[in-house]
Amino acid sequence: IKRWEHFVKFDKQGVISVRGPHATDLLQNVMSQDIELLEKESPDRAALFTTFMNAKGKILFDGIVVKPKLAA
């Protein structure tokens, strides 16, 4: 982690795109937040901080889920 005045840069972050008719179901099955919160199209629900877990519930990593049409 490199720190600047009011920002933190995370060197090991990436972007994953999930699309298709089963994208919501897939995300709901691997993340700790309720993906339906993004289905409510309100400005305060454009993104969710969540953890991603394996089938046994062990946290693998954290991240932010953004619904593209709300984030634009």
Side-chain angles (χ1 to χ4, degrees), residues 40-52:
K40 299 175 183 173
E41 297 192 23
S42 69
D44 59 338
R45 293 286 185 200
L48 290 172
F49 177 79
T50 190
T51 56
F52 293 89

Side-chain angles (χ1 to χ4, degrees), residues 51-54 58-62:
T51 56
F52 293 89
M53 303 168 292
N54 66 13
K58 179 181 177 186
I59 296 173
L60 301 173
F61 53 91
D62 62 16

Side-chain angles (χ1 to χ4, degrees), residues 4-62:
W4 290 282
E5 197 171 311
H6 296 287
F7 301 96
V8 176
K9 179 181 178 187
F10 295 96
D11 293 327
K12 298 187 184 212
Q13 294 289 330
V15 175
I16 298 172
S17 178
V18 180
R19 298 171 189 228
H22 303 290
T24 300
D25 292 334
L26 170 72
L27 289 172
Q28 186 62 60
N29 288 325
V30 298
M31 57 187 267
S32 60
Q33 285 276 18
D34 182 4
I35 193 71
E36 294 298 323
L37 292 173
L38 284 180
E39 295 300 314
K40 299 175 183 173
E41 297 192 23
S42 69
D44 59 338
R45 293 286 185 200
L48 290 172
F49 177 79
T50 190
T51 56
F52 293 89
M53 303 168 292
N54 66 13
K56 293 183 178 181
K58 179 181 177 186
I59 296 173
L60 301 173
F61 53 91
D62 62 16

